[in-house]
Coordinates of all heavy atoms in Angstrom, one line a residue:
M253 N 0.8 -1.2 0.0 CA 0.0 0.0 0.0 C 0.9 1.2 0.0 O 1.7 1.4 0.9 CB -0.9 0.0 1.2 CG -1.6 1.3 1.5 SD -2.9 1.3 2.7 CE -2.1 0.5 4.1
D254 N 0.7 2.1 -0.9 CA 1.5 3.3 -1.1 C 0.7 4.5 -0.5 O 0.0 5.2 -1.2 CB 1.9 3.5 -2.5 CG 2.8 4.7 -2.7 OD1 3.3 5.3 -1.7 OD2 2.9 5.2 -3.8
R255 N 0.8 4.8 0.8 CA 0.1 5.9 1.4 C 0.6 7.2 0.9 O -0.1 8.2 0.9 CB 0.2 5.8 2.9 CG -0.7 4.7 3.5 CD -0.6 4.7 4.9 NE 0.5 3.9 5.3 CZ 0.9 3.8 6.5 NH1 0.3 4.3 7.5 NH2 2.0 3.0 6.8
G256 N 1.9 7.2 0.5 CA 2.5 8.5 0.1 C 1.9 9.1 -1.1 O 1.8 10.3 -1.3
A257 N 1.3 8.3 -2.0 CA 0.7 8.8 -3.2 C -0.6 9.4 -2.9 O -1.1 10.2 -3.7 CB 0.5 7.6 -4.2
Q258 N -1.2 9.1 -1.8 CA -2.5 9.7 -1.4 C -2.5 11.0 -0.7 O -3.4 11.7 -0.7 CB -3.3 8.6 -0.6 CG -3.6 7.3 -1.3 CD -4.1 6.3 -0.4 OE1 -4.3 6.5 0.8 NE2 -4.4 5.1 -1.0
D259 N -1.4 11.2 0.0 CA -1.3 12.4 0.9 C -0.5 13.5 0.1 O 0.5 13.2 -0.5 CB -0.6 12.1 2.2 CG -1.4 11.1 3.0 OD1 -2.7 11.2 3.0 OD2 -0.8 10.2 3.7
P260 N -0.8 14.8 0.3 CA 0.0 15.8 -0.3 C 1.4 15.9 0.4 O 1.5 15.5 1.5 CB -0.8 17.1 0.1 CG -2.0 16.7 0.9 CD -2.0 15.2 1.1
P261 N 2.4 16.3 -0.4 CA 3.7 16.3 0.1 C 3.9 17.1 1.4 O 4.7 16.6 2.3 CB 4.5 17.0 -1.0 CG 3.7 16.7 -2.3 CD 2.3 16.7 -1.8
H262 N 3.2 18.2 1.6 CA 3.4 19.0 2.8 C 2.9 18.2 4.0 O 3.5 18.3 5.1 CB 2.8 20.4 2.7 CG 1.3 20.3 2.6 ND1 0.6 20.2 1.4 CD2 0.3 20.4 3.6 CE1 -0.7 20.1 1.6 NE2 -0.9 20.3 2.9
Y263 N 1.9 17.4 3.8 CA 1.4 16.6 4.9 C 2.5 15.5 5.3 O 2.7 15.2 6.4 CB 0.1 15.9 4.5 CG -0.4 15.0 5.6 CD1 -1.0 15.5 6.8 CD2 -0.4 13.6 5.4 CE1 -1.5 14.6 7.7 CE2 -0.9 12.7 6.4 CZ -1.5 13.3 7.5 OH -1.9 12.4 8.5
L264 N 3.0 14.9 4.3 CA 4.1 13.8 4.5 C 5.3 14.4 5.1 O 5.9 13.8 6.1 CB 4.4 13.2 3.2 CG 3.3 12.4 2.5 CD1 3.7 11.9 1.1 CD2 2.8 11.3 3.3
I265 N 5.7 15.6 4.7 CA 6.9 16.2 5.3 C 6.6 16.5 6.8 O 7.5 16.3 7.6 CB 7.2 17.5 4.5 CG1 7.8 17.2 3.2 CG2 8.2 18.4 5.3 CD1 7.9 18.4 2.2
Q266 N 5.4 17.0 7.1 CA 5.1 17.2 8.5 C 5.1 16.0 9.3 O 5.6 16.0 10.5 CB 3.7 17.9 8.6 CG 3.4 18.4 10.0 CD 4.5 19.4 10.6 OE1 5.1 20.2 9.8 NE2 4.8 19.3 11.9
R267 N 4.6 14.9 8.8 CA 4.6 13.6 9.5 C 6.1 13.2 9.8 O 6.4 12.7 10.9 CB 3.9 12.5 8.7 CG 2.4 12.6 8.8 CD 1.7 11.6 7.9 NE 2.3 10.2 7.9 CZ 2.0 9.3 7.0 NH1 1.3 9.6 6.0 NH2 2.6 8.1 7.1
V268 N 7.0 13.3 8.8 CA 8.4 13.0 9.0 C 9.0 13.9 10.1 O 9.7 13.4 11.0 CB 9.1 13.1 7.7 CG1 10.6 12.9 7.9 CG2 8.6 12.0 6.7
R269 N 8.8 15.2 10.0 CA 9.3 16.1 11.0 C 8.9 15.7 12.4 O 9.7 15.8 13.3 CB 8.9 17.6 10.7 CG 9.6 18.2 9.5 CD 9.2 19.6 9.4 NE 9.8 20.2 8.3 CZ 9.3 21.1 7.4 NH1 8.0 21.5 7.6 NH2 9.9 21.6 6.4
E270 N 7.6 15.4 12.6 CA 7.1 15.1 13.9 C 7.7 13.8 14.4 O 8.1 13.7 15.5 CB 5.6 15.0 13.8 CG 4.9 16.3 13.7 CD 3.4 16.2 13.6 OE1 2.8 15.1 13.9 OE2 2.8 17.2 13.3
A271 N 7.9 12.8 13.5 CA 8.5 11.5 13.9 C 9.9 11.8 14.3 O 10.4 11.2 15.3 CB 8.4 10.5 12.7
L272 N 10.7 12.6 13.5 CA 12.1 12.8 13.9 C 12.2 13.6 15.2 O 13.2 13.4 16.0 CB 12.8 13.6 12.8 CG 13.0 12.9 11.4 CD1 13.4 13.8 10.3 CD2 13.9 11.7 11.6
A273 N 11.3 14.4 15.5 CA 11.3 15.2 16.8 C 10.9 14.3 18.0 O 11.5 14.5 19.0 CB 10.4 16.4 16.7
H274 N 9.9 13.4 17.8 CA 9.4 12.7 18.9 C 9.9 11.3 19.1 O 9.7 10.7 20.2 CB 7.8 12.6 18.8 CG 7.2 14.0 18.8 ND1 7.2 14.8 20.0 CD2 6.6 14.7 17.9 CE1 6.6 15.9 19.7 NE2 6.3 16.0 18.4
D275 N 10.5 10.7 18.1 CA 11.0 9.3 18.2 C 12.3 9.4 19.1 O 13.2 10.2 18.9 CB 11.4 8.8 16.9 CG 11.7 7.3 16.9 OD1 12.7 6.9 17.5 OD2 11.0 6.5 16.3
P276 N 12.3 8.5 20.2 CA 13.4 8.6 21.1 C 14.8 8.2 20.5 O 15.8 8.6 21.0 CB 13.0 7.6 22.2 CG 12.0 6.7 21.6 CD 11.3 7.5 20.5
R277 N 14.8 7.6 19.3 CA 16.0 7.2 18.7 C 16.7 8.5 18.0 O 17.9 8.5 17.8 CB 15.8 6.2 17.5 CG 15.3 4.9 18.0 CD 14.9 4.0 16.9 NE 13.7 4.4 16.3 CZ 13.2 3.9 15.2 NH1 13.7 2.9 14.6 NH2 12.0 4.4 14.7
V278 N 15.9 9.5 17.8 CA 16.4 10.7 17.1 C 16.2 11.9 18.0 O 17.2 12.5 18.4 CB 15.7 10.9 15.7 CG1 16.2 12.2 15.0 CG2 15.9 9.7 14.8
G279 N 15.0 12.3 18.2 CA 14.7 13.5 19.1 C 15.3 14.8 18.6 O 15.7 15.6 19.4
E280 N 15.3 15.0 17.3 CA 15.9 16.2 16.7 C 14.8 17.1 16.1 O 14.0 16.7 15.3 CB 16.9 15.8 15.6 CG 18.1 15.1 16.1 CD 19.0 16.0 16.9 OE1 19.0 17.2 16.7 OE2 19.8 15.4 17.6
L281 N 14.8 18.4 16.5 CA 13.8 19.3 16.1 C 14.3 20.1 14.9 O 13.5 20.7 14.1 CB 13.4 20.3 17.2 CG 12.8 19.7 18.4 CD1 12.7 20.7 19.5 CD2 11.4 19.1 18.1
E282 N 15.6 20.2 14.7 CA 16.1 21.2 13.7 C 16.5 20.6 12.4 O 17.1 21.2 11.6 CB 17.4 21.8 14.3 CG 17.1 22.6 15.6 CD 16.1 23.8 15.4 OE1 16.2 24.4 14.4 OE2 15.3 24.0 16.3
L283 N 16.1 19.3 12.1 CA 16.4 18.7 10.8 C 15.4 19.3 9.8 O 14.3 19.5 10.0 CB 16.3 17.2 10.9 CG 17.3 16.6 11.9 CD1 17.0 15.1 12.0 CD2 18.7 16.8 11.5
R284 N 16.0 19.4 8.6 CA 15.2 19.9 7.4 C 14.7 18.7 6.6 O 15.5 17.8 6.3 CB 16.0 20.9 6.6 CG 16.2 22.2 7.4 CD 17.1 23.2 6.8 NE 18.5 22.7 6.6 CZ 19.4 22.6 7.6 NH1 19.0 22.9 8.9 NH2 20.6 22.2 7.4
V285 N 13.5 18.7 6.2 CA 12.9 17.7 5.4 C 12.4 18.2 4.0 O 11.7 19.2 4.0 CB 11.8 17.0 6.1 CG1 11.2 15.8 5.3 CG2 12.2 16.5 7.5
K286 N 12.8 17.6 2.9 CA 12.4 18.1 1.6 C 11.9 16.8 0.8 O 12.6 15.8 0.9 CB 13.5 18.8 0.9 CG 13.2 19.2 -0.5 CD 14.4 19.9 -1.1 CE 14.2 20.3 -2.5 NZ 15.4 20.9 -3.1
M287 N 10.8 16.9 0.1 CA 10.4 15.8 -0.7 C 10.4 16.2 -2.2 O 10.0 17.3 -2.5 CB 8.9 15.5 -0.4 CG 8.8 14.2 0.4 SD 7.1 13.7 0.5 CE 7.2 12.1 -0.4
V288 N 11.0 15.4 -3.0 CA 11.0 15.5 -4.4 C 10.5 14.2 -5.0 O 11.2 13.2 -5.0 CB 12.4 15.9 -5.0 CG1 12.4 16.1 -6.5 CG2 13.0 17.1 -4.3
G289 N 9.3 14.2 -5.5 CA 8.7 13.0 -6.0 C 8.6 12.0 -5.0 O 8.0 12.2 -3.9
E290 N 9.2 10.8 -5.2 CA 9.2 9.7 -4.2 C 10.5 9.6 -3.4 O 10.9 8.6 -2.9 CB 9.0 8.4 -5.0 CG 7.6 8.3 -5.6 CD 6.5 8.2 -4.6 OE1 6.6 7.4 -3.6 OE2 5.5 8.9 -4.7
K291 N 11.2 10.8 -3.3 CA 12.4 10.9 -2.6 C 12.3 11.9 -1.4 O 11.7 12.9 -1.6 CB 13.6 11.3 -3.5 CG 13.9 10.3 -4.6 CD 15.0 10.8 -5.5 CE 15.2 9.8 -6.7 NZ 16.2 10.3 -7.6
V292 N 12.9 11.5 -0.3 CA 12.9 12.4 0.9 C 14.3 12.7 1.2 O 15.2 11.8 1.3 CB 12.2 11.7 2.1 CG1 12.3 12.6 3.3 CG2 10.8 11.4 1.8
F293 N 14.6 14.0 1.3 CA 16.0 14.5 1.6 C 16.0 15.0 3.0 O 15.2 15.9 3.3 CB 16.4 15.5 0.6 CG 16.6 15.0 -0.8 CD1 15.5 14.9 -1.6 CD2 17.8 14.5 -1.2 CE1 15.6 14.4 -2.9 CE2 17.9 14.0 -2.5 CZ 16.8 14.0 -3.4
I294 N 16.9 14.5 3.9 CA 17.0 15.0 5.3 C 18.3 15.7 5.4 O 19.4 15.1 5.1 CB 16.9 13.9 6.3 CG1 15.7 13.0 6.0 CG2 16.8 14.5 7.7 CD1 14.3 13.7 6.1
T295 N 18.3 17.0 5.9 CA 19.6 17.7 6.1 C 19.6 18.3 7.5 O 18.6 18.4 8.1 CB 19.8 18.8 5.1 OG1 18.7 19.7 5.1 CG2 19.9 18.3 3.6
G296 N 20.8 18.6 8.0 CA 20.9 19.1 9.3 C 22.1 18.4 10.0 O 22.9 17.7 9.3
S297 N 22.2 18.6 11.3 CA 23.3 18.0 12.0 C 22.8 17.2 13.2 O 21.8 17.6 13.8 CB 24.4 19.0 12.4 OG 23.8 20.0 13.2
V298 N 23.5 16.2 13.5 CA 23.1 15.3 14.7 C 24.4 15.1 15.5 O 25.5 15.2 15.0 CB 22.5 14.0 14.3 CG1 21.1 14.2 13.6 CG2 23.4 13.2 13.3
P299 N 24.3 14.8 16.8 CA 25.5 14.6 17.6 C 26.3 13.3 17.5 O 27.5 13.3 17.8 CB 25.0 14.8 19.0 CG 23.6 14.4 19.0 CD 23.1 14.8 17.6
T300 N 25.6 12.3 17.0 CA 26.3 11.0 16.9 C 26.0 10.3 15.6 O 25.0 10.5 14.9 CB 25.9 10.0 18.0 OG1 24.5 9.7 17.9 CG2 26.2 10.7 19.4
D301 N 26.9 9.3 15.2 CA 26.6 8.5 14.0 C 25.4 7.6 14.2 O 24.7 7.3 13.3 CB 27.9 7.7 13.6 CG 27.8 7.1 12.3 OD1 27.5 7.8 11.3 OD2 28.0 5.9 12.1
E302 N 25.3 7.1 15.4 CA 24.1 6.3 15.8 C 22.8 7.0 15.5 O 21.9 6.5 14.9 CB 24.2 5.9 17.2 CG 23.0 5.0 17.7 CD 23.2 4.6 19.1 OE1 24.0 3.7 19.4 OE2 22.5 5.2 20.0
R303 N 22.8 8.3 15.9 CA 21.6 9.1 15.7 C 21.4 9.4 14.2 O 20.3 9.4 13.7 CB 21.6 10.4 16.4 CG 20.3 11.1 16.4 CD 20.2 12.1 17.5 NE 20.2 11.5 18.8 CZ 20.0 12.2 19.9 NH1 19.9 13.5 19.9 NH2 20.1 11.6 21.1
R304 N 22.5 9.5 13.5 CA 22.4 9.7 12.0 C 21.7 8.5 11.3 O 20.9 8.7 10.5 CB 23.8 10.0 11.4 CG 23.7 10.3 10.0 CD 25.2 10.6 9.4 NE 25.1 11.0 8.0 CZ 24.9 10.2 7.0 NH1 24.7 8.9 7.2 NH2 24.8 10.7 5.8
K305 N 22.1 7.3 11.8 CA 21.6 6.1 11.2 C 20.1 6.0 11.6 O 19.3 5.5 10.8 CB 22.3 4.9 11.7 CG 23.7 4.8 11.1 CD 24.5 3.7 11.7 CE 26.0 3.7 11.2 NZ 26.8 2.7 11.9
A306 N 19.7 6.4 12.8 CA 18.4 6.4 13.3 C 17.5 7.3 12.5 O 16.3 7.0 12.3 CB 18.3 6.7 14.8
V307 N 18.0 8.4 12.0 CA 17.2 9.3 11.1 C 16.7 8.5 9.9 O 15.5 8.6 9.6 CB 18.1 10.5 10.7 CG1 17.4 11.3 9.5 CG2 18.3 11.4 11.8
S308 N 17.5 7.8 9.2 CA 17.1 7.0 8.1 C 16.0 6.0 8.5 O 15.0 5.8 7.8 CB 18.2 6.3 7.4 OG 19.1 7.2 6.9
A309 N 16.2 5.3 9.6 CA 15.3 4.3 10.1 C 13.9 4.9 10.4 O 12.9 4.3 10.0 CB 15.8 3.6 11.3
V310 N 13.9 6.0 11.0 CA 12.6 6.7 11.4 C 11.9 7.1 10.1 O 10.7 6.9 10.0 CB 12.9 7.8 12.3 CG1 11.6 8.7 12.5 CG2 13.4 7.3 13.7
V311 N 12.6 7.7 9.2 CA 11.9 8.1 7.9 C 11.4 6.9 7.2 O 10.2 6.9 6.7 CB 12.9 8.9 7.0 CG1 12.2 9.3 5.7 CG2 13.3 10.2 7.8
Q312 N 12.1 5.8 7.2 CA 11.7 4.6 6.5 C 10.5 4.0 7.2 O 9.6 3.5 6.5 CB 12.8 3.6 6.4 CG 12.7 2.6 5.3 CD 12.8 3.3 3.9 OE1 13.9 3.8 3.6 NE2 11.8 3.3 3.1
D313 N 10.4 4.1 8.5 CA 9.2 3.7 9.3 C 8.0 4.5 8.9 O 6.9 3.9 8.8 CB 9.5 3.8 10.8 CG 10.5 2.8 11.3 OD1 10.8 1.8 10.6 OD2 10.9 2.9 12.5
V314 N 8.2 5.8 8.8 CA 7.0 6.6 8.5 C 6.6 6.5 7.0 O 5.4 6.5 6.7 CB 7.4 8.1 8.8 CG1 6.2 9.1 8.4 CG2 7.6 8.3 10.3
L315 N 7.5 6.5 6.1 CA 7.3 6.4 4.7 C 8.0 5.3 4.0 O 9.1 5.5 3.4 CB 7.6 7.7 4.0 CG 6.9 9.0 4.5 CD1 7.5 10.2 3.8 CD2 5.4 8.9 4.2
P316 N 7.5 4.0 4.2 CA 8.3 2.9 3.7 C 8.5 2.8 2.2 O 9.3 2.1 1.7 CB 7.5 1.7 4.3 CG 6.1 2.2 4.5 CD 6.3 3.7 4.9
D317 N 7.7 3.5 1.5 CA 7.7 3.4 0.0 C 8.5 4.5 -0.7 O 8.4 4.7 -1.9 CB 6.3 3.4 -0.6 CG 5.5 2.2 -0.1 OD1 6.1 1.1 0.1 OD2 4.3 2.4 0.2
V318 N 9.3 5.3 0.1 CA 10.0 6.4 -0.5 C 11.5 6.1 -0.4 O 11.9 5.3 0.4 CB 9.7 7.7 0.1 CG1 8.3 8.1 -0.1 CG2 10.2 7.8 1.5
E319 N 12.3 6.7 -1.2 CA 13.8 6.6 -1.2 C 14.3 7.7 -0.2 O 14.0 8.9 -0.4 CB 14.3 6.8 -2.6 CG 15.7 6.6 -2.8 CD 16.2 6.8 -4.2 OE1 15.4 6.3 -5.1 OE2 17.2 7.4 -4.5
V320 N 15.0 7.3 0.8 CA 15.5 8.2 1.8 C 17.0 8.6 1.4 O 17.8 7.8 1.2 CB 15.5 7.6 3.2 CG1 16.0 8.6 4.2 CG2 14.1 7.2 3.5
H321 N 17.2 9.9 1.4 CA 18.5 10.5 1.2 C 18.9 11.2 2.5 O 18.5 12.4 2.7 CB 18.6 11.4 0.0 CG 18.4 10.7 -1.3 ND1 19.4 10.3 -2.0 CD2 17.2 10.4 -1.9 CE1 18.9 9.7 -3.1 NE2 17.6 9.7 -3.1
N322 N 19.6 10.6 3.4 CA 20.0 11.1 4.6 C 21.3 11.9 4.4 O 22.4 11.3 4.3 CB 20.2 10.0 5.7 CG 20.5 10.5 7.0 OD1 20.8 11.7 7.2 ND2 20.5 9.6 8.0
E323 N 21.2 13.2 4.4 CA 22.3 14.1 4.2 C 22.8 14.8 5.5 O 23.4 15.8 5.4 CB 22.0 15.1 3.0 CG 21.7 14.4 1.7 CD 21.3 15.3 0.6 OE1 21.0 16.5 0.9 OE2 21.2 14.8 -0.5
T324 N 22.3 14.2 6.6 CA 22.7 14.8 7.9 C 24.2 14.6 8.1 O 24.8 13.7 7.6 CB 21.9 14.2 9.0 OG1 22.1 12.8 9.1 CG2 20.4 14.5 8.9
T325 N 24.8 15.5 9.0 CA 26.2 15.4 9.3 C 26.3 15.2 10.8 O 25.4 15.7 11.6 CB 27.0 16.6 8.9 OG1 26.3 17.8 9.5 CG2 27.0 16.8 7.4
V326 N 27.4 14.6 11.2 CA 27.7 14.4 12.7 C 28.6 15.5 13.1 O 29.7 15.7 12.5 CB 28.3 13.0 12.9 CG1 28.6 12.9 14.4 CG2 27.3 11.9 12.5
T327 N 28.2 16.3 14.1 CA 29.0 17.5 14.4 C 29.6 17.4 15.8 O 30.5 18.3 16.1 CB 28.2 18.8 14.3 OG1 27.1 18.6 15.2 CG2 27.7 19.0 12.9
A328 N 29.3 16.5 16.6 CA 29.8 16.5 18.0 C 31.3 16.4 18.1 O 31.9 17.2 18.9 CB 29.2 15.3 18.8
L329 N 31.9 15.6 17.3 CA 33.4 15.5 17.3 C 34.1 16.8 16.8 O 35.0 17.2 17.4 CB 33.9 14.3 16.5 CG 33.4 13.0 17.0 CD1 33.9 11.9 16.0 CD2 34.0 12.7 18.4
A330 N 33.5 17.4 15.8 CA 34.1 18.6 15.3 C 34.0 19.7 16.4 O 34.9 20.5 16.6 CB 33.4 19.1 14.0
D331 N 32.8 19.8 17.0 CA 32.6 20.8 18.1 C 33.6 20.6 19.2 O 34.2 21.6 19.7 CB 31.2 20.8 18.6 CG 30.2 21.3 17.6 OD1 30.6 21.9 16.6 OD2 29.0 21.0 17.7
A332 N 33.8 19.4 19.6 CA 34.8 19.1 20.7 C 36.2 19.5 20.3 O 36.9 20.0 21.1 CB 34.7 17.6 21.1
D333 N 36.6 19.2 19.1 CA 37.9 19.5 18.7 C 38.1 21.0 18.7 O 39.2 21.5 19.1 CB 38.2 19.0 17.2 CG 38.3 17.5 17.2 OD1 38.5 16.9 18.3 OD2 38.2 16.9 16.1
Q334 N 37.1 21.8 18.3 CA 37.3 23.2 18.2 C 37.4 23.8 19.6 O 38.1 24.8 19.8 CB 36.1 23.9 17.5 CG 36.1 23.6 16.0 CD 34.8 24.1 15.3 OE1 33.9 24.7 16.0 NE2 34.7 23.9 14.0
E335 N 36.7 23.3 20.6 CA 36.8 23.8 22.0 C 38.2 23.6 22.5 O 38.7 24.3 23.4 CB 35.8 23.1 22.8 CG 34.4 23.5 22.5 CD 33.4 22.7 23.3 OE1 33.8 22.0 24.3 OE2 32.2 22.7 22.9
E336 N 38.9 22.5 22.1 CA 40.3 22.3 22.6 C 41.4 23.0 22.0 O 42.5 23.1 22.5 CB 40.5 20.8 22.5 CG 39.6 19.9 23.4 CD 39.9 18.4 23.2 OE1 40.9 18.1 22.7 OE2 39.0 17.6 23.5
L337 N 41.1 23.7 20.9 CA 42.2 24.4 20.2 C 42.5 25.7 21.0 O 41.7 26.3 21.6 CB 41.7 24.8 18.8 CG 41.5 23.7 17.8 CD1 41.0 24.2 16.5 CD2 42.9 23.0 17.6
P338 N 43.8 26.1 21.0 CA 44.2 27.3 21.7 C 43.7 28.6 21.1 O 43.4 28.7 20.0 CB 45.7 27.2 21.7 CG 46.1 26.2 20.7 CD 44.9 25.4 20.4

């Protein structure tokens, strides 16, 4: 069953945003979601690689019939390195 074809894109994007914000595996409010046809693009930053992987899983749970392009980046290590520089 392809529920994605029945719902307008803005509705699907909102469902993905809410899932990313409320799912305990992700819990991210600041991720950006864009839909192009049957593809979903997620951008933004997350603190761990585990959370980055969870982003894809959550989107796939919400919209199993779409192609997920997880373009999020992991920033926690970069932030920690910058704090230690003189």
Side-chain angles (χ1 to χ4, degrees):
M253 168 171 48
D254 184 13
R255 285 182 276 178
Q258 298 172 359
D259 296 326
H262 66 276
Y263 177 74
L264 297 175
I265 289 170
Q266 188 58 34
R267 282 178 41 202
V268 170
R269 283 185 183 142
E270 288 178 12
L272 292 170
H274 297 291
D275 190 293
R277 295 173 289 176
V278 178
E280 294 290 337
L281 298 171
E282 302 297 321
L283 298 177
R284 291 170 297 287
V285 181
K286 180 180 175 183
M287 253 188 118
V288 179
E290 294 294 313
K291 298 177 183 178
V292 176
F293 296 84
I294 310 297
T295 57
S297 59
V298 293
T300 66
D301 192 51
E302 180 179 283
R303 192 161 294 182
R304 183 180 187 283
K305 292 174 185 173
V307 167
S308 294
V310 169
V311 175
Q312 205 67 65
D313 288 349
V314 175
L315 299 174
D317 299 325
V318 301
E319 186 177 319
V320 178
H321 293 268
N322 183 349
E323 299 174 351
T324 58
T325 57
V326 177
T327 59
L329 295 176
D331 291 344
D333 289 343
Q334 289 176 359
E335 291 175 13
E336 295 177 17
L337 293 176

